[in-house]
Amino acid sequence: MSLIQRSHGKEQPYWPAGPFKIRLPFIHYRWEMPEMIQGFFMFVVGLAMIPLLETYLGMPYEAALAFTFVAGLCYILPSLLGVPLVPGWITPAIPVVLLYLKGFEPGPEAIKALFALQIEVSLIFLFLGVTRLGSKLVDFIPNSLKSGVIIGAGMAAMMGELKFGGRIDATPISLIVGSIVSAYILFSLSFKNVIEGNALAKKIANFGMVPGMIIAMIVGWSVGEYPLPDIQWGITQPDFALMFQYLTFTVGFPGWDVFLLAIPTALIAYVIAFGDIIVGFTLVKRVDHIRDDEKIEENVDRVHLVTAIRNAIHAFFAPWPGLAGPLWTAAHATVAERYAMGRKSMDSIYSGGGTFWISGLLALFALPLVTVFKPVLPIALSLTLILTAYICIMVGMEQLKDSTERGVAGIVAVTLAMPDPKSTVYAVVIGLVLYFLIERPRLLGKHNAKDNVIFGGEDDENLATVKSEKS
């Protein structure tokens, strides 16, 4: 229960704070037990960033672990400040970021380079949020380009797992079994029918990705794909003093040449993150019409502002190769699916996301949890990427209205998924060119509904109608 109750059909209670709406657990929303349990498991995905911090920034495990605590604090900001999305990384941008970091020596130089990149990402989000251009972009960008970026990001995530030498080669059994179980629980129509008449199935569904991850871990340990954990007891002790040796306050700030080198990567990261925002609010819309008891505000500008704050905190206190993204697609989909089950299952979209990441932050202090999951960190990351791929492709396809848009979006998606650091730039340019050359009935000037002549499939009837009107 919460101290302040929401009236039926109203927005979840909050304290106004400028552009933000502050919501606290137990005061503005209730504590959700299923999300708490998920948080105690899924926090391990954040720990999967530690190997990248060690490799590309040259820091020891203890300092990298301290970075994850800073990330944990940043994860709780969106629900705290009024964003209904479950945050995460800009995951599809990670290969591009790592390629950028390979140009710098691990240690002070790489730290400076990552600081420059992350502060630029923060400034992009801040500018678009303050000017409110971020919300205008949602309507301004062609639908085919938006959907193509979303689908392409999903394809890139999937290809990263399936490529030769990837995790599917090293741990095929545990990864395939975990992916099948997770996908069945989250998306299967037959499982949804089982839930309606089976209390146990409904309880399993409440935990989203967790059952699939647990089964993948057990299978991985059973078949020897992962070593058994060395469980330790006590409280996690990240070395915050050592962490400061790997911040720009200690190693120094980058020069202007580094800032210039970071600009293309920052722009690519924003384009991908913008696609995440669209996916996030699309998932919200998919379930919002089912729940008439809560009005969910879709404020894209607030998402930009909160994401800017998170990236700025990371830049100064924990440079993060995954960057701070507006959406953890798989986790947000899990919350949205349970939200659709009704108010008894989840009081508010904010109570689900807020409970999830507060629990994840608390789990970082539990040394037994950190040590038991340490050998199987790749499983959590892989399941996240695979489910993200499915959701991105599903949502992107849903947004396409006709065959012409589907064709353009397909070309954009394939271009974006290419293993090239400039593929995102190419995809955006190609998408815009194809939009003007193929989709627009008139290259210049305004056009009306009669100009929208689409060829193929179910649109042939529209073509015949337009022809008869013109004649």
Side-chain angles (χ1 to χ4, degrees), residues 79-95:
S79 62
L80 174 68
L81 298 178
V83 174
L85 309 180
V86 180
W89 309 335
I90 308 179
T91 308
I94 291 177

Side-chain angles (χ1 to χ4, degrees), residues 4 13-17 20-24 27-28:
I4 307 175
Y14 62 89
W15 290 331
F20 307 112
K21 295 181 176 180
I22 297 176
R23 294 182 175 93
L24 300 174
I27 297 177
H28 299 103

Side-chain angles (χ1 to χ4, degrees), residues 162-175:
L162 298 178
K163 68 180 180 181
F164 180 77
R167 278 182 284 267
I168 192 68
D169 277 350
T171 58
I173 300 176
S174 58
L175 186 52

